[in-house]
Amino acid sequence: MTMTSAPTSHAVPVAPSTGALRPLGLDEVRITGGLWAERQRVNGTATLDHIEHWLEREGWLANYDLAVAGSLPDGRRGREFSDSEVYKYLEALSWEIGRLQSVSDAAASVDRLEARLRAIVTRVAAAQEPDGYLNTRFGRPGQEPRWTDLEWGHELYCLGHLFQAAVARVRTRPDADDGLVEVARRAADLVCEVFGEGGDERICGHAEVEVGLAELGRALGEPRYLEQARIFVERHGRGTLADIEWGRSYYQDDAAVRDADALRGHSVRANYLAAGATDVAVESGDRELFDALDRQWDRTLERRTYVTGGQGSHHQDEAFGEDWELPSDRAYSETCAGVASVMFSWRLLLASGEARHADLIERTLFNVIETSPDASGTAFYYANTLHQRVPGAPADPDAVSPRAHSSLRAPWFDVSCCPPNTARTFASLAAYLATADASGVQLHQYAPSIVRTVLADGRAVAFEVETSYPRSGSIVVRMLADSAEPWRLSLRVPAWAGGATLALRPTGGGEAQRWPAEPGIVSVERAFAAGDEVVLELPTTPRFVAPDARVDAVRGCLVVERGPEVFALESVDLAATPLAASDFADLRVDPRVAPVDAVVGVGTGDDARVLVRLVDARTDAAADVPLVPYHAWAERGPSTMRVWIPAL
Amino acid sequence: MTMTSAPTSHAVPVAPSTGALRPLGLDEVRITGGLWAERQRVNGTATLDHIEHWLEREGWLANYDLAVAGSLPDGRRGREFSDSEVYKYLEALSWEIGRLQSVSDAAASVDRLEARLRAIVTRVAAAQEPDGYLNTRFGRPGQEPRWTDLEWGHELYCLGHLFQAAVARVRTRPDADDGLVEVARRAADLVCEVFGEGGDERICGHAEVEVGLAELGRALGEPRYLEQARIFVERHGRGTLADIEWGRSYYQDDAAVRDADALRGHSVRANYLAAGATDVAVESGDRELFDALDRQWDRTLERRTYVTGGQGSHHQDEAFGEDWELPSDRAYSETCAGVASVMFSWRLLLASGEARHADLIERTLFNVIETSPDASGTAFYYANTLHQRVPGAPADPDAVSPRAHSSLRAPWFDVSCCPPNTARTFASLAAYLATADASGVQLHQYAPSIVRTVLADGRAVAFEVETSYPRSGSIVVRMLADSAEPWRLSLRVPAWAGGATLALRPTGGGEAQRWPAEPGIVSVERAFAAGDEVVLELPTTPRFVAPDARVDAVRGCLVVERGPEVFALESVDLAATPLAASDFADLRVDPRVAPVDAVVGVGTGDDARVLVRLVDARTDAAADVPLVPYHAWAERGPSTMRVWIPAL
């Protein structure tokens, strides 16, 4: 197998050739403790197995075997896009292998995952046709011909995920000889041939191939793929896809990317496209396109994003609503839209270096992506409601559930993109924590972690981060080595963290210095000595947050936040209070009583709650009731729930 | 053709064999002026033609010809339920013929409509199969077999509408020899044979056959049809239909009718079923079933009904939401759910005589059903949003529109039930105005009209109603004949009409009497003389109405009502004010400034507006702005709109 050398050897999902910041990869950053380490542990030990079990059980993997046996379309199972879940799973496996490579004593796990990945790649590769075409649903006798249903067929979408899997593989195991990268390359070559300039002028009804091609081009040093990504991005808005009941905005074929005001239509499609378009803008130096995307991001955040970071206000078309249309009870806030939003924001952050993008990434990680899986990592929310009016029935652990029953986490769905999509995100999460530039290193997300990298000019940087964030706002960065030359450590101060401070505590008891730290980016430049500590103190007193007055759905309500976490009121927490018999719809929060930290019960950090004073508007009964972090709701059986609570 | 004599010869859509009130028919009540007379004129002269034009243009009528020619399924057009639009149209024609029979100088119109009705009946009848089966979508070679898709096939639903058309025909032209009644009878016989006790135990995925069979049984004196209606009603909730993504509640197969708490699932299906179940309860003396339906009606009104009377909170499944889930901006409030709700409420009213049912009928007529068609009667809302955030593009007058684009009225839809459903309602509207019982006559809805009937004991009653309602609340009932015996005239005082008064003004200048009239029913009993006037004065000062505190979507908002009409703020009315440049989302209504009547411009009653004080929360600019009756919104081009206005 031949392979073009990649322009970066680091294990990162996104590697722009230019931009304000260079992302640090899994080989440079490792999460060592806290919420995210626990999630990575569960993801690696439970979720991945769970996904493969269901991919087999539902026949989505066997579809490839049927293709090889020549028996398709008979026996094919799953929706038209089921191949894509296999590719997302391969991507998740690849990142997990990459992650474990930097963990001592994980060699056995790596070997086990390698074997599984290779077994699946072998089945997939066998189904690829001689010209590179790969899809179990189209193109064989008795199936619809290739590319005849771009609106709904998802052929290019599936390939986009194949490309992302190959990118993960080549960046974590560049010497692998399993064939995945070659499969992707042959498929990408075919896409360029069929859909290149002068060829088929249409786009895919579900964006994804754009971002997949762009990153594959970067990873393999293949400008044709980047060019094809550009072509697809530019073709959006030409109306080459059929008009449908929800309008062409559903698949972003209503307006050119550079002409749009905000993200619109299907919220996963919109974010995948925006991520790919950002790659294209960066690689082609298209400032106009980049600025358009950045403006769309701003407007979408201001007017079309839930307090959780969730996006998508419609069940019907899984789509953004109009500006300010953000119902809590019908919030769709699809898990995969959260994943896609992080992809978009991360690309803008790398290009611009601006903290607002990392702020949204943090909000979305804690309150959308982490909300989807339960503690065991084997049941998921597809949609993430912000208001559960009626306790949902528990999902059947042995059955496929409808995708958008927001009342419950379920093991698997007829459309089951969220399990592998969260899995690939968690496995690669360390790659979203830190970046480097000519001046030094930037920390964007806070977790117990170790960072070791070498700056472009050869200066070595090594530090560890010690924190119980988000339970406390103290973040201690401790240097692990002496630096001969000064370098700059930059830290993000989230927008919610008014009153933060930054301190430098030199090793050996030298005099500490302390500065106020305004929201945005703060930094310390120094020839650090091993043991030097930089301490960021973020105030994490629980707080009420009022909505924008233009959001009709939550007028007169308050939400409680602490640090990056949004809290929720769950009816199970009323049982032991004087409000046990109250109608959930009658409860009001008393805004004059500040929310306070509380530890309820014994146990882990997940039991750290926030108390608020609630009043029954009908009976005047009152009680201090503990709220739960939104991402941990519905872990204690069926319950009603609300994030925004009407104020007295 | 043989025909069993009907138990009633009056031209009414619903003729229970027992109940508190006997409905007066089109042969007894005639609307002579005002809003409803104008709507009936437009309906008869424009809407009916419009419907037939589109039924032909879209091939939904030609499907019957293709069936006769034996060429189906080739060339069949329209959705699986397109036959039902033909039957609703036949029903509308039948009522219109019945209505015009009591209008002088309408003979030519009657002849014209008769000829059209007969021409269509001939085409339909020719397609009926020898055993009575009738459906253009199922059962022929190359089509799916009969009754193989009860979930979605709508075969029984279509027949239910056929039965309602036949009922309209037999009650308005009992001597007609066109064959429509015979076609219905043969189809109903087949339904009883296939789905009777011991037969196929399933139900139709879209309720309607229940109410159609019940009324056909009444109209033809055929107890088998009533029994079959009972069988279908009782079978709901047994799970004989497949489970689907939205659950079996979608088609009310999740719980027995008598066990449910509220209407749920698809809102048209729910109301059609409730109407049929009420018929069954009344005819079988099933008090338990009746009480369950009455309770469901109460709870649905309290918790699942918009201020307009609209029902249905979800676009996705056209369904009711949970209690208190009533978003304005995603209100579905399907026009046909309004029609179906009136059918349900009317049956409860006839059985119980309680004013609350007539209150909801009035609210729904003015604010849902009248909202659907535009002034010309040739464009319709399928869904009726209560909050339009972005001005919609005008519908293409020469194209079929998607059904639920709530931003615009359109001439026709891919699912086009609202044009014929409103048409059959308006044509028969006089039959919903008044009833009789042993004591006298009850007026439920107010419009300029003439009522002539004979009570069960032979006392003749004749009066005219003079009013400019809803522009004013003065309703004058003037006797047209001397009554030898006393009888009681009862009048509904709507729930909103606190402070109403009732007066008796004897003819010839005798001393007038005047009483306070509490909401509910008020009455005067007297041996009336010709010229005697009973005058009901309903206060129609515009009023602010606050929402139930449990409705999240409109917390902190007010709505303006005057009489039975709900008012709306339309952006076109801001153009000439200091708020012309305001963002619609920033506007607040000043609750300290009472809304006042205002005549804006010159012209008809439709120009009577209500002024409210609006303030821009961002700039503090203020203006008195005229609101428009909600049913008349979007008549002046694309606009943003809201019914519930945030209060300062």
Side-chain angles (χ1 to χ4, degrees):
Chain A
M1 190 176 101
T2 60
M3 184 174 305
T4 310
S5 68
T8 172
S9 62
H10 289 298
V12 294
V14 188
S17 64
T18 180
L21 309 174
R22 177 181 78 79
L24 301 190
L26 303 188
D27 49 331
E28 298 167 297
V29 185
R30 187 158 62 84
I31 298 171
T32 56
L35 178 74
W36 294 129
E38 170 62 11
R39 175 53 67 193
Q40 289 195 316
R41 185 190 68 76
V42 170
N43 190 56
T45 57
T47 304
L48 292 177
D49 288 352
H50 176 86
I51 293 168
E52 187 162 334
H53 166 77
W54 282 89
L55 289 175
E56 287 287 17
R57 173 181 156 147
E58 292 303 305
W60 302 356
L61 275 164
N63 288 338
Y64 294 93
D65 310 334
L66 296 175
V68 173
S71 69
L72 288 179
D74 286 352
R76 189 185 182 282
R77 293 174 64 196
R79 293 284 301 269
E80 59 274 28
F81 36 71
S82 67
D83 292 1
S84 77
E85 314 312 347
V86 174
Y87 304 143
K88 283 170 215 153
Y89 175 62
L90 288 176
E91 184 186 345
L93 281 177
S94 299
W95 293 125
E96 183 66 5
I97 290 166
R99 183 180 82 84
L100 292 176
Q101 287 177 155
S102 66
V103 176
S104 56
D105 303 331
S109 296
V110 169
D111 289 349
R112 189 175 68 92
L113 295 178
E114 271 286 329
R116 285 164 51 179
L117 180 143
R118 284 164 187 268
I120 294 173
V121 168
T122 300
R123 294 163 79 180
V124 169
Q128 188 170 36
E129 301 193 27
D131 66 352
Y133 184 81
L134 180 56
N135 190 288
T136 66
R137 171 63 187 274
F138 288 88
R140 290 171 194 78
Q143 294 184 316
E144 291 163 72
R146 295 176 186 183
W147 322 123
T148 50
D149 183 16
L150 290 191
E151 284 81 4
W152 301 107
H154 289 76
E155 289 158 281
L156 290 165
Y157 164 85
C158 289
L159 293 180
H161 279 296
L162 171 69
F163 301 156
Q164 287 196 299
V167 167
R169 189 67 175 152
V170 77
R171 293 218 178 108
T172 52
R173 280 266 167 129
D175 55 346
D177 59 352
D178 55 81
L180 176 57
V181 174
E182 201 52 35
V183 168
R185 186 191 293 276
R186 292 170 55 212
D189 288 343
L190 178 70
V191 169
C192 293
E193 191 180 307
V194 174
F195 291 92
E197 295 289 9
D200 191 324
E201 297 191 342
R202 293 172 300 160
I203 57 176
C204 183
H206 196 314
E208 161 65 23
V209 72
E210 299 82 359
V211 73
L213 277 171
E215 210 53 51
L216 189 68
R218 287 164 165 168
L220 302 183
E222 178 53 80
R224 269 208 311 157
Y225 302 162
L226 277 158
E227 171 61 10
Q228 187 61 44
R230 191 194 64 75
I231 289 170
F232 279 131
V233 167
E234 293 293 347
R235 277 183 192 156
H236 276 262
R238 295 189 187 160
T240 60
L241 299 180
D243 202 3
I244 55 173
E245 176 159 356
W246 307 316
R248 288 199 178 92
S249 60
Y250 174 76
Y251 25 52
Q252 297 79 43
D253 196 26
D254 57 325
V257 174
R258 66 182 69 241
D259 295 337
D261 293 326
L263 299 194
R264 69 221 180 277
H266 189 275
S267 49
V268 180
R269 285 166 166 82
N271 275 290
Y272 280 167
L273 176 61
T278 306
D279 287 338
V280 165
V282 166
E283 296 305 324
S284 59
D286 187 338
R287 187 81 214 175
E288 181 195 77
L289 178 60
F290 183 86
D291 289 346
L293 290 158
D294 205 34
R295 276 198 309 274
Q296 291 168 35
W297 186 94
D298 277 335
R299 189 174 174 110
T300 303
L301 177 61
E302 183 193 25
R303 296 166 185 241
R304 300 184 176 195
T305 303
Y306 286 97
V307 68
T308 54
Q311 298 184 339
S313 306
H314 293 182
H315 276 243
Q316 187 179 36
D317 47 357
E318 308 189 309
F320 286 98
E322 300 293 345
D323 287 353
W324 316 118
E325 184 183 321
L326 293 164
S328 290
D329 48 11
R330 294 290 282 173
Y332 203 68
S333 181
E334 186 177 337
T335 299
C336 293
V339 169
S341 163
V342 168
M343 288 168 58
F344 179 30
S345 296
W346 180 243
R347 283 160 172 80
L348 292 177
L349 174 63
L350 294 180
S352 72
E354 292 175 18
R356 61 198 165 110
H357 301 303
D359 277 1
L360 179 59
I361 289 171
E362 175 173 66
R363 189 169 285 269
T364 307
L365 283 173
F366 275 103
N367 302 296
V368 179
I369 300 176
E370 173 64 8
T371 306
S372 175
D374 69 359
S376 76
T378 59
F380 304 83
Y381 276 125
Y382 184 105
N384 295 279
T385 189
L386 274 71
H387 185 182
Q388 181 69 35
R389 294 177 179 275
V390 176
D396 184 342
D398 198 40
V400 173
S401 291
R403 56 179 141 170
H405 277 194
S406 55
S407 62
L408 44 85
R409 292 185 180 90
W412 202 250
F413 301 93
D414 51 351
V415 178
S416 213
C417 31
C418 46
N421 230 348
T422 57
R424 68 184 182 128
T425 305
F426 291 128
S428 60
L429 193 61
Y432 295 92
L433 262 56
T435 57
D437 66 4
S439 72
V441 168
Q442 301 79 38
L443 262 185
H444 304 284
Q445 306 298 338
Y446 301 118
S449 50
I450 292 178
V451 176
R452 290 182 194 276
T453 189
V454 178
L455 302 182
D457 59 4
R459 285 171 293 169
V461 167
F463 59 81
E464 63 184 353
V465 179
E466 197 176 275
T467 182
S468 60
Y469 192 82
R471 291 288 161 261
S472 104
S474 283
I475 295 125
V476 177
V477 180
R478 184 177 303 112
M479 297 301 151
L480 295 176
D482 293 332
S483 303
E485 302 286 323
W487 60 275
R488 184 184 300 158
L489 173 67
S490 298
L491 300 160
R492 179 179 61 98
V493 180
W496 49 260
T501 61
L502 183 71
L504 171 66
R505 298 199 295 232
T507 187
E511 191 176 355
Q513 290 173 276
R514 190 182 175 91
W515 309 270
E518 292 298 309
I521 311 279
V522 293
S523 55
V524 180
E525 186 159 353
R526 181 176 168 96
F528 290 104
D532 280 357
E533 291 180 349
V534 176
V535 182
L536 181 65
E537 293 282 353
L538 302 174
T540 53
T541 306
R543 59 192 184 274
F544 285 127
V545 177
D548 190 300
R550 292 168 289 190
V551 180
D552 292 283
V554 293
R555 183 169 288 116
C557 294
L558 295 172
V559 70
V560 172
E561 296 183 354
R562 182 179 61 198
E565 292 176 307
V566 171
F567 280 70
L569 168 63
E570 256 197 298
S571 57
V572 298
D573 286 315
L574 297 170
T577 78
L579 302 173
S582 290
D583 185 331
F584 206 64
D586 290 329
L587 297 181
R588 303 287 177 268
V589 66
D590 187 338
R592 298 160 303 187
V593 180
V596 294
D597 281 316
V599 173
V600 176
V602 293
T604 68
D606 272 345
D607 288 324
R609 306 269 193 264
V610 172
L611 283 183
V612 295
R613 173 76 48 83
L614 292 183
V615 179
D616 183 319
R618 205 162 292 267
T619 66
D620 286 337
D624 290 338
V625 176
L627 307 185
V628 64
Y630 172 68
H631 61 74
W633 90 275
E635 291 276 13
R636 296 170 292 165
S639 189
T640 55
M641 180 278 294
R642 56 189 311 159
V643 167
W644 289 99
I645 310 173
L648 260 192
Chain B
M1 190 176 101
T2 61
M3 184 174 305
T4 309
S5 68
T8 172
S9 61
H10 289 298
V12 293
V14 188
S17 66
T18 180
L21 309 175
R22 177 182 77 80
L24 301 191
L26 304 189
D27 49 331
E28 297 168 296
V29 185
R30 188 158 60 85
I31 298 171
T32 56
L35 178 75
W36 294 129
E38 170 63 10
R39 175 54 67 192
Q40 289 195 315
R41 185 190 68 74
V42 170
N43 190 56
T45 58
T47 304
L48 292 177
D49 287 354
H50 176 86
I51 293 169
E52 187 162 334
H53 166 77
W54 282 89
L55 289 175
E56 286 287 17
R57 173 181 156 148
E58 292 303 306
W60 301 357
L61 275 165
N63 288 339
Y64 294 94
D65 310 333
L66 296 174
V68 173
S71 68
L72 287 179
D74 286 353
R76 189 183 182 282
R77 294 173 64 195
R79 293 284 301 268
E80 58 275 29
F81 37 70
S82 68
D83 292 1
S84 77
E85 314 312 346
V86 174
Y87 305 143
K88 284 172 213 151
Y89 175 61
L90 287 176
E91 184 187 345
L93 281 177
S94 298
W95 293 125
E96 183 65 5
I97 290 166
R99 184 181 80 83
L100 291 175
Q101 288 177 155
S102 66
V103 176
S104 56
D105 302 331
S109 296
V110 169
D111 289 348
R112 189 176 67 92
L113 295 178
E114 272 285 331
R116 285 164 52 179
L117 180 143
R118 284 163 187 268
I120 294 174
V121 169
T122 299
R123 294 164 78 180
V124 169
Q128 188 168 36
E129 302 193 26
D131 66 352
Y133 184 80
L134 180 56
N135 190 289
T136 66
R137 171 63 188 275
F138 288 88
R140 289 171 195 76
Q143 293 183 317
E144 291 163 72
R146 295 176 187 183
W147 322 123
T148 50
D149 184 15
L150 289 191
E151 284 81 3
W152 301 107
H154 289 75
E155 289 158 281
L156 290 165
Y157 163 84
C158 289
L159 293 180
H161 279 297
L162 172 69
F163 301 157
Q164 286 196 300
V167 167
R169 190 66 175 152
V170 76
R171 293 220 179 108
T172 51
R173 279 270 168 126
D175 55 345
D177 59 353
D178 55 80
L180 176 57
V181 174
E182 201 51 34
V183 167
R185 186 190 292 275
R186 291 170 55 212
D189 288 344
L190 178 70
V191 169
C192 293
E193 190 181 309
V194 173
F195 292 92
E197 295 290 9
D200 190 325
E201 296 191 342
R202 294 172 299 161
I203 56 175
C204 183
H206 196 314
E208 162 64 24
V209 72
E210 300 81 0
V211 73
L213 277 171
E215 209 55 50
L216 189 67
R218 287 164 166 169
L220 302 183
E222 178 52 80
R224 268 208 312 157
Y225 301 161
L226 277 158
E227 172 61 11
Q228 187 61 46
R230 191 192 66 74
I231 289 169
F232 278 131
V233 167
E234 293 293 347
R235 276 183 193 158
H236 276 261
R238 295 188 187 163
T240 59
L241 299 180
D243 203 1
I244 54 173
E245 177 159 357
W246 307 316
R248 287 199 178 92
S249 61
Y250 174 77
Y251 26 52
Q252 296 80 45
D253 196 27
D254 58 325
V257 174
R258 67 181 70 239
D259 295 337
D261 293 326
L263 298 195
R264 69 223 179 275
H266 189 275
S267 49
V268 180
R269 285 165 165 81
N271 275 290
Y272 280 167
L273 176 61
T278 306
D279 287 338
V280 164
V282 166
E283 296 304 324
S284 60
D286 187 338
R287 188 79 215 178
E288 180 194 77
L289 178 59
F290 183 86
D291 288 347
L293 289 159
D294 205 35
R295 276 197 309 274
Q296 291 168 35
W297 186 94
D298 277 336
R299 189 174 173 107
T300 303
L301 176 60
E302 183 192 26
R303 294 164 186 244
R304 300 184 176 195
T305 303
Y306 285 97
V307 68
T308 53
Q311 298 183 340
S313 306
H314 293 182
H315 275 242
Q316 186 178 35
D317 47 356
E318 307 190 309
F320 285 98
E322 300 294 345
D323 287 352
W324 315 118
E325 185 182 320
L326 294 164
S328 290
D329 47 11
R330 293 291 283 174
Y332 203 69
S333 181
E334 186 177 338
T335 299
C336 292
V339 169
S341 163
V342 168
M343 288 167 57
F344 180 29
S345 296
W346 180 243
R347 283 160 172 80
L348 293 177
L349 174 63
L350 293 180
S352 71
E354 291 175 19
R356 61 198 166 109
H357 301 304
D359 278 0
L360 180 58
I361 290 171
E362 175 173 66
R363 189 169 284 271
T364 307
L365 283 173
F366 275 102
N367 302 297
V368 178
I369 301 177
E370 173 63 8
T371 306
S372 175
D374 69 359
S376 76
T378 58
F380 304 84
Y381 276 124
Y382 184 106
N384 295 280
T385 189
L386 274 71
H387 185 181
Q388 181 69 35
R389 294 177 180 277
V390 177
D396 184 342
D398 198 39
V400 173
S401 290
R403 57 179 141 171
H405 277 195
S406 56
S407 63
L408 44 82
R409 292 185 181 91
W412 202 251
F413 302 93
D414 50 350
V415 178
S416 213
C417 32
C418 46
N421 230 347
T422 57
R424 68 183 182 128
T425 305
F426 291 128
S428 60
L429 192 61
Y432 295 90
L433 262 56
T435 57
D437 66 5
S439 72
V441 168
Q442 302 78 39
L443 261 185
H444 304 284
Q445 306 298 336
Y446 300 118
S449 50
I450 292 177
V451 176
R452 289 180 195 275
T453 188
V454 178
L455 303 182
D457 59 5
R459 285 171 292 171
V461 166
F463 59 81
E464 63 185 351
V465 180
E466 197 176 275
T467 181
S468 59
Y469 192 82
R471 291 288 162 261
S472 104
S474 284
I475 293 124
V476 178
V477 180
R478 184 177 302 112
M479 298 301 151
L480 295 176
D482 294 331
S483 303
E485 301 286 324
W487 60 275
R488 185 183 300 158
L489 174 67
S490 298
L491 299 161
R492 178 179 62 97
V493 180
W496 49 261
T501 61
L502 184 71
L504 171 66
R505 298 199 295 231
T507 188
E511 192 175 356
Q513 291 173 276
R514 191 180 173 93
W515 309 270
E518 292 299 308
I521 310 280
V522 293
S523 56
V524 181
E525 186 159 352
R526 182 176 167 96
F528 291 103
D532 280 357
E533 290 180 350
V534 176
V535 182
L536 181 65
E537 293 282 353
L538 302 174
T540 54
T541 307
R543 58 192 184 273
F544 284 128
V545 177
D548 190 298
R550 293 168 287 190
V551 180
D552 292 282
V554 293
R555 184 169 287 116
C557 294
L558 295 172
V559 70
V560 172
E561 297 183 354
R562 182 178 61 197
E565 291 176 308
V566 171
F567 280 69
L569 169 63
E570 256 197 297
S571 57
V572 295
D573 286 316
L574 297 170
T577 78
L579 302 172
S582 290
D583 186 331
F584 206 65
D586 290 330
L587 297 181
R588 302 288 177 269
V589 65
D590 188 338
R592 299 160 304 188
V593 180
V596 293
D597 281 315
V599 173
V600 176
V602 293
T604 68
D606 271 346
D607 288 324
R609 305 269 193 262
V610 172
L611 283 184
V612 295
R613 173 75 48 84
L614 293 183
V615 179
D616 184 319
R618 205 161 292 265
T619 66
D620 286 337
D624 290 338
V625 176
L627 307 185
V628 63
Y630 172 67
H631 61 73
W633 90 276
E635 291 276 12
R636 295 169 294 165
S639 189
T640 55
M641 181 277 294
R642 57 188 310 159
V643 166
W644 289 100
I645 310 174
L648 261 191

